[in-house]
């Protein structure tokens, strides 16, 4: 144990040494050939060739960028309230953030993944995980809005998520922390043998994308760090890296670094699916939220689900195996052919690559090396395809270019290393500035990557941009990988902490992008689709305002008869039917947010007037030459006043 401790200290020293070495080099590293500028230059008015969807990390959201320009186009709110457009504040969107723990206004999102058909990106949806309060979200790549969030019970630190099988049959979520299942009051030191790790297979309806937890596999109490689906020949399997196979519950940096090898867990989900379809597994009481946004009613609903199907690996012999993998592997990456499974052992000198064919062969010939809680362990030598010798320090993640090459990030030595599948030789290495986490190649998690660009997402920015106080936005770096050598062509800032990103050629989605919501199709119960529909209705202390907005007025714009102690609901429909003409709504003293209402949409803001007076509201989005004229007043009278409700527009 002492030795291990020394070892990790040694590692830390190496980390420090490498970082400072990079610091010194950074002055020269900025020198790029000027022809590189052309590679990232997207002339004014022209479009980027790729979209990149970059996880917002601790912002809980997802950002949309263009490649190669590195321009940020949008932030899509997912797990976090977003005052910019009222997501999570408006009555219509608040249910999206309901959970079994109540309303949770934030999360930590890590891994976006785009839906696939036949192993190719189809650009219909993008999924992303909420890591802290375990959830998976589905975002439409037509509307760029979050359409669905499902909570994942029996899970904690939903990190080996959210990855898609090659026909989007499942979006898969694995727990990082093992926990008592079901949750109960017990001594933490009884962890070993008692805590379990749930791997959740969430089915995706092929037409509408609706998610449902099909089953959870209850695995031993390891930490499940990352995962990727098999594809092509290995379609039907799913692979998860594990660490802390020691099942330690304290000082993990030492106690979870004891074993020479941890595991990659290989799950034959087709086999378990068949078992479940025949009634296998056990329905277990649970409590988790399923939140769905309906584009027709412009409303989200939240439903609590009360049970989940769990499967013990022992019930389905031949469905789960463990592949020994050195040492505390982080990324678990499968190449485009589905043959190679890369285990990025954080503390390992070499990079380990397993062979799917050899794995099947070892299973068939029952070449086992004992078991863990009844799950057969395969022999390391029998499944090993090869290893990349001493490629760098601290490997985290690997992506593929579809031309037989792999690209691995090394956190400690702060570089991306390109190596060849099959021969395992290192072809190229390029420094990153600094301390790289994930990297992305468009189509990276698919059978057909688009191997032109690769970008690295770095944890430390330091001197790369003008300083902005103690905290800097993280930096991404774009490389041209079309030649033999990687070429750094651009630095660009990201938002929050981008763990992973998914990227896709723009032509797959840009022509499907929604431009407006049709007013004629608006089924919101409190919509007003013309001036004739506008009204103000009192229901006890609740006052409902059915309002419209169009360039350049609100209707009604003057309201009287509201009293202190009332709760005012502004139900506002944007009557515009033109692309990119939202209007905003801001009410003085509103203690939630403003609204940004897109054309044809209805949104509701709640306002509780506390003081007598005449209080203005206005449009927050400069929408026309007469935007500044887009305003109105609410008269608020004392609680005991008998002023009748009245409203109007254009009345002197
Ligand atoms: Cu490596 Cu959450 Cu995928 Cu960050 S994780 S780097
Ligand atoms: Cu509407 Cu400004």
């Amino acid at each position: 144990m002492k030795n291990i401790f020394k070892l990790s200290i040694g590692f830390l020293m190496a980390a420090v040494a490498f970082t400072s070495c990079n610091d010194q080099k950074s002055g020269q590293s900025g020198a790029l050939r000027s022809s590189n500028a052309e590679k990232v230059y997207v002339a004014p008015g022209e479009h980027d060739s790729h979209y990149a969807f970059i996880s917002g990390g601790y912002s809980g959201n997802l950002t949309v960028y263009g490649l190669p320009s590195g321009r940020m186009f949008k932030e899509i709110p997912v797990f976090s309230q977003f005052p910019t457009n009222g997501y999570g504040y408006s009555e219509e969107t608040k249910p999206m953030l309901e959970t079994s723990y109540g309303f949770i206004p934030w999360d930590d999102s890590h891994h976006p993944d785009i839906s696939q058909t036949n192993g190719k990106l189809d650009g219909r949806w993008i999924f992303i995980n909420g890591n802290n309060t375990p959830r998976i979200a589905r975002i439409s790549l037509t509307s760029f809005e979050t359409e669905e969030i499902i909570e994942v019970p029996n899970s904690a630190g939903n990190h080996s998520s959210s990855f898609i099988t090659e026909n989007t049959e499942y979006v898969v979520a694995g727990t990082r922390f093992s926990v008592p299942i079901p949750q109960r009051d017990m001594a933490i030191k009884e962890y070993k043998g008692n805590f379990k790790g749930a791997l959740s297979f969430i089915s995706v309806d092929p037409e509408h994308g609706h998610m449902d937890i099909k089953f959870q596999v209850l695995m031993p109490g390891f930490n499940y760090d990352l995962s990727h689906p098999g594809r092509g020949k290995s379609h039907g399997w799913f692979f998860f890296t594990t660490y802390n196979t020691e099942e330690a519950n304290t000082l993990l940096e030492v106690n979870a670094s004891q074993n020479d090898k941890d595991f990659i867990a290989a799950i034959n989900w087709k086999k378990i699916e068949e078992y479940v379809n025949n009634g296998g597994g056990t329905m277990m009481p649970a409590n988790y939220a399923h939140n769905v946004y309906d584009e027709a009613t412009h409303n989200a609903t939240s439903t609590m689900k009360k049970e989940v199907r769990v499967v013990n690996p022992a019930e389905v012999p031949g469905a789960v195996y463990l592949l020994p993998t050195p040492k505390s592997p982080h990324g678990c990456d499968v190449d485009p052919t589905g043959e190679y499974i890369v285990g990025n052992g954080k503390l390992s000198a070499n990079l380990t690559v397993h062979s799917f064919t050899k794995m099947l062969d070892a299973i068939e010939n029952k070449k086992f090396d004992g078991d863990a809680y009844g799950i057969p362990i395969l022999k390391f030598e029998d499944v090993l395809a090869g290893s990349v010798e001493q490629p760098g320090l601290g490997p985290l993640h690997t992506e593929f270019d579809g031309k037989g090459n792999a690209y691995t990030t090394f956190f400690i030595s702060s570089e991306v290393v390109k190596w060849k599948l099959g021969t395992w030789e290192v072809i190229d290495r390029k420094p990153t500035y600094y301390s790289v986490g994930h990297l992305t190649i468009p189509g990276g998690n698919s059978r057909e990557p688009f191997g032109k660009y690769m970008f690295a997402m770095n944890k430390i920015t330091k001197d790369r941009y003008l300083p902005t106080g103690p905290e800097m936005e993280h930096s991404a770096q774009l490389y041209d990988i079309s030649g033999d050598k990687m070429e750094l062509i651009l630095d660009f800032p990201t938002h929050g902490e981008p763990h992973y990103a998914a990227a896709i050629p723009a032509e797959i989605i840009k022509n499907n992008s929604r431009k407006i919501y049709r007013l004629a199709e608006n089924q919101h119960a409190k919509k007003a689709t013309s001036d004739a529909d506008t009204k103000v209705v009192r229901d006890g202390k609740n006052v409902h305002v059915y309002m419209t907005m169009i360039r350049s007025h609100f209707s009604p714009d003057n309201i009287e008869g509201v009293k202190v102690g009332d709760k005012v609901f502004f139900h506002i429909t944007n009557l515009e039917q033109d692309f990119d003409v939202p209007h905003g709504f801001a009410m003085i003293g509103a203690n939630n947010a403003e609204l940004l209402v897109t054309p044809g949409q209805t949104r509701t803001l709640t306002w509780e007037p506390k003081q007598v007076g005449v209080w203005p509201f206005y449009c927050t989005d400069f929408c026309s030459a007469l935007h500044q004229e887009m305003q109105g007043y609410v008269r608020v009278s004392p609680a005991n006043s008998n002023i009748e409700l009245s409203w109007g527009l254009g009345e002197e």
Side-chain angles (χ1 to χ4, degrees):
M1 163 144 163
K2 262 200 182 134
N3 282 340
I4 291 287
F5 201 70
K6 272 193 201 144
L7 194 101
S8 44
I9 293 204
F11 237 87
L12 267 176
M13 306 282 280
V16 171
F18 266 94
T19 312
S20 44
C21 153
N22 277 335
D23 274 1
Q24 286 154 14
K25 279 196 310 212
S26 66
Q28 307 137 32
S29 72
L32 292 175
R33 284 197 278 115
S34 64
S35 64
N36 284 342
E38 284 164 31
K39 292 187 173 172
V40 298
Y41 184 65
V42 177
E46 291 190 355
H47 289 175
D48 281 279
S49 61
H50 292 70
Y51 284 98
F53 297 91
I54 304 185
S55 103
Y58 40 67
S59 86
N61 291 337
L62 182 69
T63 47
V64 187
Y65 282 75
L67 299 179
S69 72
R71 297 179 292 190
M72 180 175 150
F73 299 143
K74 186 171 193 142
E75 179 170 359
I76 303 174
V78 184
F79 296 111
S80 294
Q81 283 182 309
F82 196 57
T84 305
N85 70 357
Y87 177 88
Y89 295 99
S90 66
E91 296 305 315
E92 289 80 2
T93 55
K94 279 200 290 199
M96 293 303 282
L97 301 180
E98 287 297 335
T99 75
S100 65
Y101 306 90
F103 181 88
I104 305 257
W106 70 280
D107 210 311
D108 173 22
S109 59
H110 283 231
H111 308 118
D113 205 7
I114 295 169
S115 57
Q116 296 182 24
T117 305
N118 296 324
K120 293 183 213 168
L121 301 188
D122 62 23
R124 301 175 73 192
W125 306 299
I126 186 164
F127 298 81
I128 192 166
N129 58 324
N131 192 57
N132 182 61
T133 302
R135 286 171 287 175
I136 299 288
R138 180 176 56 82
I139 294 127
S140 161
L141 289 182
T142 307
S143 64
F144 287 57
E145 303 259 8
T146 304
E147 287 191 328
E148 190 176 2
I149 293 179
I150 193 163
E151 194 178 350
V152 185
N154 295 332
S155 191
N158 173 35
H159 193 259
S160 32
S161 322
S162 51
F163 298 105
I164 310 291
T165 57
E166 69 175 30
N167 286 299
T168 319
E169 295 96 334
Y170 292 98
V171 49
V172 172
T175 195
R176 178 166 142 221
F177 308 115
S178 283
V179 289
I181 296 178
Q183 271 292 5
R184 58 191 178 275
D185 176 24
M186 64 180 283
I188 297 168
K189 54 176 192 295
E190 283 164 32
Y191 178 121
K192 198 168 189 160
N194 290 315
F195 284 29
K196 293 254 173 300
L199 307 180
S200 305
F201 287 73
I202 300 166
S203 61
V204 179
D205 173 80
E207 201 179 335
H208 301 107
H210 287 164
M211 298 186 285
D212 190 20
I213 300 177
K214 178 96 170 174
F215 58 87
Q216 296 190 308
V217 187
L218 296 190
M219 296 286 287
F222 310 152
N223 289 41
Y224 296 85
D225 206 11
L226 277 147
S227 67
H228 266 100
R231 55 178 59 100
K233 62 169 87 168
S234 53
H235 179 57
W237 290 78
F238 222 97
F239 304 94
F240 295 81
T241 42
T242 70
Y243 65 101
N244 191 24
T245 52
E246 297 85 350
E247 295 181 71
N249 62 64
T250 183
L251 194 60
L252 261 64
E253 63 172 312
V254 176
N255 295 330
S257 305
Q258 301 289 308
N259 289 348
D260 185 43
K261 297 191 178 64
D262 297 280
F263 300 119
I264 284 178
I267 311 274
N268 186 335
W269 58 260
K270 278 238 162 122
K271 199 165 199 146
I272 301 177
E273 178 186 62
E274 195 184 304
Y275 173 72
V276 163
N277 284 344
N278 289 322
T282 311
M283 292 310 282
M284 176 183 163
N287 193 31
Y288 56 103
H290 184 210
N291 309 331
V292 180
Y293 182 77
D294 180 342
E295 224 172 61
T297 63
H298 298 275
N299 261 285
T301 49
S302 177
T303 320
M304 294 307 292
K305 297 210 153 196
K306 294 296 177 191
E307 49 179 18
V308 66
R309 186 177 298 273
V310 297
V311 174
N312 185 325
E315 300 165 27
V316 198
V320 184
Y321 297 93
L322 299 172
L323 287 61
T325 306
K327 286 224 41 154
S328 302
H330 185 57
C332 181
D333 299 296
V334 179
D335 88 303
T337 69
E339 168 63 10
Y340 297 120
I341 304 135
V342 183
N344 302 261
K346 298 192 295 279
L347 306 177
S348 167
N350 303 330
L351 202 62
T352 304
V353 187
H354 296 305
S355 154
F356 178 71
T357 312
K358 284 181 149 189
M359 181 192 92
L360 287 188
D361 190 64
I363 292 171
E364 197 175 334
N365 295 304
K366 299 210 161 38
K367 292 190 188 161
F368 302 142
D369 194 8
D371 69 278
Y373 299 99
I375 301 171
I377 301 173
L378 298 166
K379 279 212 184 86
F380 178 66
E381 297 73 24
D382 291 337
V383 293
L384 186 70
S387 50
V388 187
E389 303 288 328
Q390 313 243 325
L393 288 181
L396 290 186
H397 300 282
T398 300
E399 290 262 298
F400 308 90
D401 61 6
K403 296 176 230 160
N405 304 304
Y407 301 72
T408 301
T409 55
F410 290 85
F411 181 80
I412 297 173
S413 50
S414 212
E415 57 188 335
V416 179
V417 174
K418 175 181 179 182
W419 51 278
K420 199 157 192 58
L421 290 158
T423 69
W424 323 120
E425 66 196 305
V426 169
I427 298 168
D428 189 23
R429 60 176 68 237
K430 284 285 173 335
T432 57
Y433 308 96
Y434 305 94
S435 299
V436 59
H438 275 271
L439 76 175
T440 294
I441 291 174
N445 174 36
S446 80
R447 270 201 251 156
E448 288 190 13
F450 303 88
K452 180 171 183 200
Y453 298 118
M454 174 272 288
F455 59 99
M457 287 154 277
N458 306 312
K459 302 302 180 191
I460 295 170
T461 306
K462 283 191 179 169
D463 48 17
R464 297 302 285 185
Y465 310 129
L466 292 173
T468 54
E471 197 254 341
M472 307 264 299
E473 290 283 32
H474 287 208
S475 87
Q477 294 186 293
L478 182 69
Y479 296 77
D480 177 345
I481 56 166
S482 54
D484 283 345
K485 302 284 178 193
M486 299 174 270
E487 247 185 301
L488 175 60
I489 53 176
L490 183 71
D491 271 26
F492 61 98
T494 56
H495 191 55
E497 180 177 5
H499 288 267
Y500 190 45
I504 184 170
E507 67 262 20
I508 301 178
I509 50 180
K510 71 174 183 188
N511 296 327
N512 303 330
S513 192
R514 180 181 272 287
K515 298 211 159 48
I516 60 163
Y517 293 96
R518 283 188 203 297
L519 263 185
E521 293 166 8
N522 183 325
Q523 294 172 36
H524 193 294
K526 300 229 162 45
K527 70 181 177 208
T529 50
S530 71
D531 262 4
D533 294 341
T534 60
K535 59 187 171 184
V536 181
V537 179
R538 177 177 285 284
D539 172 16
K541 288 202 171 295
N542 292 341
V543 176
H544 292 274
V545 181
Y546 296 66
M547 185 183 265
T548 61
M549 55 193 352
I550 193 165
R551 282 164 286 181
S552 299
H553 61 265
F554 293 98
S555 178
D557 65 355
N558 282 328
I559 299 168
E560 301 200 357
V562 170
K563 299 174 208 171
V564 170
D566 282 348
K567 202 171 186 184
V568 182
F569 297 85
F570 295 97
H571 310 287
I572 313 175
T573 304
N574 181 347
L575 299 183
E576 306 283 352
Q577 293 285 271
D578 270 348
F579 182 34
D580 198 24
V581 191
H583 293 284
F585 177 79
M587 184 73 227
I588 189 169
N591 51 13
N592 34 28
E594 63 179 328
L595 292 177
L596 194 71
V597 190
T598 58
Q601 194 178 48
T602 305
R603 283 281 179 267
T604 300
L605 191 81
T606 307
W607 177 60
E608 296 182 55
K610 303 263 167 33
Q611 296 172 47
V612 164
V614 179
W615 306 103
F617 56 85
Y618 71 97
C619 172
T620 47
D621 186 321
F622 204 107
C623 50
S624 72
L626 297 173
H627 156 80
Q628 291 294 77
E629 281 70 16
M630 201 167 165
Q631 63 164 61
Y633 287 104
V634 179
R635 174 182 174 186
V636 177
S637 305
N640 59 1
S641 134
N642 47 24
I643 294 181
E644 287 294 311
L645 272 184
S646 64
W647 62 93
L649 169 73
E651 286 157 18
E652 297 296 327

